Amino acid sequence: MHRRIYGLETEYGITYSFNGQRRLSPDDVSRVLFRKVVAWGRSSNVFLENGSRLYLDVGSHPEYATAECDNLYDLVAQDGAGERILQSLVTSAQLQLSDEGSRGSIYLFRNNTDSAGNSYGCHENYCTERDEDLRRHEQFLIPFLVSRQIWSGAGKVVTTASRGTHFGLSQRAEHIWESISSATTRSRPIINTRDEPHADPEKYRRLHVIVGDSNMSEFATFVKVGTTCLILSMIEDRHTVLRDLTLEQPIKAFREISMDPFGDGHCKVRLANGREMTPLELQEEICERVEAYVAKRDIPSDQLEALRLWRGVLEQLRLDPLVLADRLDWVAKYSLIEALRTRENLPLTDPKVQLVDLLYHDTDPQRGLYHRLAAKGNLIRMVDEARIQMAVTQAPETTRARMRGAFVRRAKEKNRDFTVDWVHLKLNDQVQRTVLMKDPFKSHDERFDRLLNSL
Amino acid sequence: MTEQEHIQKPSTEKNDEAPSVELVANTAKNEQLKNDLDNLLDEIDEVLEDNAEEFVRNYVQKGGE
């Protein structure tokens, strides 16, 4: 399929700090953060009127899962809306805590690691055809996911026992242990195979990509999801002969690539067939194949735009990565850290450097360093703020999410008791009317219209 | 440049209002970035001077997923 359904789940890190001292545990501050949600939905796990899901996840991480999107601009807007929604919760929780006499500030981070080696994720979900061949994933998708960090990585100052402190591309390099598996918390894989399609299980699967970083950059989110869609189209199209790029050791390659952001460490990955290539060469080869594939097909224009931008990034990476500070997280962060280090003559291990690394991901629009750079026009935006604000209350119109959002809004207005999940809309009255939405592509349904009109 | 880079969006698509992103940033913008980074570092100087070490050390979460 070329038109595809996808969504992002993002776990946020949270802390409450006064002069550097942690005053409340993440559990406690998350509970305060979700008071408003619980008051609204009588649960800390709710679906909102924009079709998204907002909840407190394992480990007290506030988590936001976007509604199903079939358009990359919608996805960026829905994902940004999640951050704005959580920020509004932060604002009211901050007021409550001040009223209760606590002195301190809530920090909500959109990153993937803390200072103690714990990790939390940004998972990409792609609706795929049921009939899948994992060998084709190994040959083409895994090599793509392992090497795309050269442009999609959020960057991080990493310290490891063996290599000391260095600037790495991926926030997740030290936290991914397997290539393909069904685990998530104990042994994180690159892709997760647990079979929860949230759709007609005879027709669809849901590919769960775990390996990616939480991007601040809208550009990176747009391009990573768009290009992954194209790779999946090629994998699903059995008439397309894929070049076998199976990696000899995907996890080892993932870590080595992360350690060599500028390619001056001459990192090469080894394919199962013995061939060696740089991560940039691997990306270029995949990109070339994708370009040949789309030439003969009717591909959605937003995915073609992602492909064009991907090619542009690869060309620039060959010339001078630093020019990409206007679109890639790791380059923007690296530039900021280097400016600080040059000015104060600091080593990478300096706490100020680590604080800048962290504050880049601060979701507070006035405080967060990504947001301050973006506000000055230093990072490219893919959608304007008005579109993000609209996505705070409006679900995507072209997918199943439209019906979920409309149902939640109407049921709330009419004060009706209801239960919603990804595939069901249910009224908890005597008749217990339920609409089952097995097709995520379908944005209209007569049964849904009847249910909505009866409210 | 390859063929694909010239593909035009069909006018019926709703993405048309989205701004077209330039493929490469220009060097003037890079100069601008240098100034902006320096200004930003000036602005957050106080934050960085204050308790950076404690803040970072105390930023501890539980594992997620």
Side-chain angles (χ1 to χ4, degrees):
Chain A
M1 52 177 127
H2 297 318
R3 180 185 163 212
R4 190 174 299 279
I5 296 285
Y6 37 77
L8 287 175
E9 294 165 57
T10 308
E11 292 178 322
Y12 290 76
I14 192 164
T15 194
Y16 185 73
S17 170
F18 179 67
N19 287 344
Q21 298 282 334
R22 192 172 94 175
R23 287 298 177 89
L24 286 175
S25 72
D27 288 7
D28 292 335
V29 64
S30 286
R31 255 196 300 279
V32 180
L33 190 70
F34 269 67
R35 274 182 197 162
K36 218 175 152 183
V37 178
V38 174
W40 181 83
R42 287 176 305 169
S43 163
S44 59
N45 176 1
V46 296
F47 281 86
L48 304 178
E49 59 182 344
N50 69 354
S52 69
R53 181 179 169 215
L54 177 66
Y55 49 115
L56 267 184
D57 196 40
V58 183
S60 292
H61 293 283
E63 178 157 348
Y64 175 88
T66 67
E68 305 87 334
C69 299
D70 67 348
N71 171 289
L72 297 167
Y73 295 96
D74 276 347
L75 180 76
V76 171
Q78 292 289 327
D79 185 46
E83 200 183 312
R84 308 303 185 277
I85 289 166
L86 282 163
Q87 257 309 314
S88 75
L89 294 178
V90 166
T91 305
S92 45
Q94 186 71 56
L95 281 171
Q96 288 182 38
L97 286 168
S98 305
D99 284 351
E100 290 164 17
S102 301
R103 292 171 70 197
S105 304
I106 300 172
Y107 288 79
L108 187 77
F109 294 111
R110 184 180 162 95
N111 69 346
N112 307 103
T113 50
D114 70 2
S115 314
N118 298 305
S119 188
Y120 35 96
C122 170
H123 299 179
E124 297 151 57
N125 294 289
Y126 302 90
C127 181
T128 60
E129 287 170 11
R130 168 58 44 180
D131 179 26
E132 73 181 359
D133 176 354
L134 281 182
R135 235 188 15 223
R136 286 170 74 84
H137 283 79
E138 300 266 15
Q139 289 175 349
F140 209 63
L141 177 63
I142 298 286
F144 168 73
L145 294 176
V146 163
S147 54
R148 73 174 184 181
Q149 59 175 306
I150 62 174
W151 48 268
S152 69
K156 179 179 154 62
V157 177
V158 194
T159 302
T160 59
S162 53
R163 312 225 186 184
T165 302
H166 63 272
F167 186 89
L169 290 167
S170 163
Q171 298 237 320
R172 302 281 267 173
E174 301 300 317
H175 304 279
I176 299 289
W177 294 95
E178 286 180 273
S179 190
I180 301 179
S181 96
S182 60
T184 56
T185 42
R186 275 167 299 117
S187 172
R188 296 187 188 90
I190 294 171
I191 58 177
N192 178 288
T193 52
R194 79 180 161 206
D195 195 6
E196 295 170 4
H198 296 327
D200 183 350
E202 288 185 3
K203 283 165 80 177
Y204 302 116
R205 281 189 76 106
R206 179 168 61 108
L207 178 77
H208 206 51
V209 175
I210 299 205
V211 74
D213 288 347
S214 300
N215 285 111
M216 301 301 294
S217 155
E218 294 177 356
F219 178 95
T221 297
F222 184 97
V223 178
K224 84 177 170 187
V225 174
T227 53
T228 305
C229 285
L230 290 166
I231 304 275
L232 290 174
S233 293
M234 291 176 72
I235 287 175
E236 286 174 346
D237 183 349
R238 297 305 162 88
H239 302 297
T240 299
V241 180
L242 300 175
R243 189 161 295 179
D244 183 357
L245 299 167
T246 307
L247 298 172
E248 189 181 66
Q249 297 187 58
I251 302 304
K252 182 166 172 272
F254 189 69
R255 293 197 180 153
E256 288 176 356
I257 293 169
S258 181
M259 300 232 195
D260 190 21
F262 294 97
D264 44 11
H266 307 290
C267 165
K268 289 202 169 185
V269 294
R270 204 177 150 87
L271 309 190
N273 64 16
R275 194 171 152 208
E276 288 192 342
M277 55 208 303
T278 68
L280 180 54
E281 285 165 354
L282 184 54
Q283 281 282 309
E284 285 169 338
E285 181 152 339
I286 298 170
C287 185
E288 206 173 290
R289 305 297 287 194
V290 175
E291 284 167 345
Y293 176 80
V294 304
K296 292 167 269 171
R297 287 171 180 83
D298 183 22
I299 306 287
S301 63
D302 54 332
Q303 293 184 27
L304 290 177
E305 175 69 354
L307 174 58
R308 184 181 78 94
L309 297 173
W310 180 27
R311 171 56 80 187
V313 162
L314 296 181
E315 282 172 2
Q316 192 56 47
L317 280 173
R318 199 163 266 295
L319 301 172
D320 178 10
L322 289 180
V323 176
L324 296 165
D326 70 339
R327 58 197 73 196
L328 303 186
D329 281 322
W330 77 263
V331 185
K333 185 191 280 183
Y334 178 86
S335 305
L336 187 55
I337 286 177
E338 283 311 296
L340 171 71
R341 266 157 46 78
T342 312
R343 173 182 163 119
E344 302 193 24
N345 196 21
L346 300 175
L348 260 187
T349 48
D350 193 278
K352 283 192 197 174
V353 171
Q354 292 174 19
L355 186 57
V356 165
D357 187 346
L358 196 52
L359 292 180
Y360 181 82
H361 301 273
D362 185 349
T363 57
D364 185 297
Q366 268 81 50
R367 211 173 44 200
L369 302 185
Y370 160 80
H371 284 294
R372 290 167 75 141
L373 285 173
K376 289 180 181 178
N378 291 122
L379 278 116
I380 289 175
R381 304 284 309 267
M382 298 306 293
V383 295
D384 58 22
E385 196 54 35
R387 185 153 179 182
I388 294 181
Q389 286 304 332
M390 204 164 83
V392 167
T393 52
Q394 294 290 323
E397 282 174 22
T398 47
T399 71
R400 174 174 73 185
R402 185 194 78 86
M403 295 191 277
R404 183 183 313 111
F407 179 73
V408 170
R409 182 178 305 115
R410 180 75 64 88
K412 272 285 171 194
E413 278 167 11
K414 303 283 178 178
N415 241 337
R416 303 293 291 270
D417 187 18
F418 65 96
T419 309
V420 164
D421 64 23
W422 292 111
V423 289
H424 296 93
L425 308 176
K426 185 174 152 216
L427 265 185
N428 299 324
D429 56 10
Q430 281 171 338
V431 197
Q432 301 267 310
R433 274 167 301 168
T434 301
V435 170
L436 177 65
M437 308 181 293
K438 283 202 302 188
D439 185 353
F441 290 95
K442 213 169 149 186
S443 56
H444 290 79
D445 188 304
E446 282 174 15
R447 293 165 308 146
F448 165 75
D449 293 340
R450 282 197 296 274
L451 178 69
L452 196 73
N453 289 333
S454 73
L455 282 174
Chain B
M1 282 236 189
T2 61
E3 284 276 319
Q4 282 74 33
E5 285 165 13
H6 300 291
I7 289 175
Q8 291 186 349
K9 295 173 193 166
S11 57
T12 50
E13 295 257 343
K14 64 175 176 177
N15 312 338
D16 269 13
E17 78 267 29
S20 172
V21 174
E22 302 159 41
L23 276 184
V24 176
N26 56 41
T27 28
K29 239 166 131 184
N30 238 23
E31 265 315 301
Q32 178 67 39
L33 175 67
K34 277 199 187 82
N35 292 332
D36 286 346
L37 289 178
D38 273 333
N39 292 338
L40 179 57
L41 290 170
D42 284 338
E43 289 164 28
I44 63 171
D45 192 47
E46 222 169 291
V47 179
L48 298 182
E49 287 303 330
D50 264 10
N51 315 302
E53 189 167 3
E54 266 178 308
F55 189 97
V56 169
R57 184 162 23 89
N58 286 329
Y59 182 60
V60 176
Q61 306 286 296
K62 291 179 187 165
E65 337 281 331

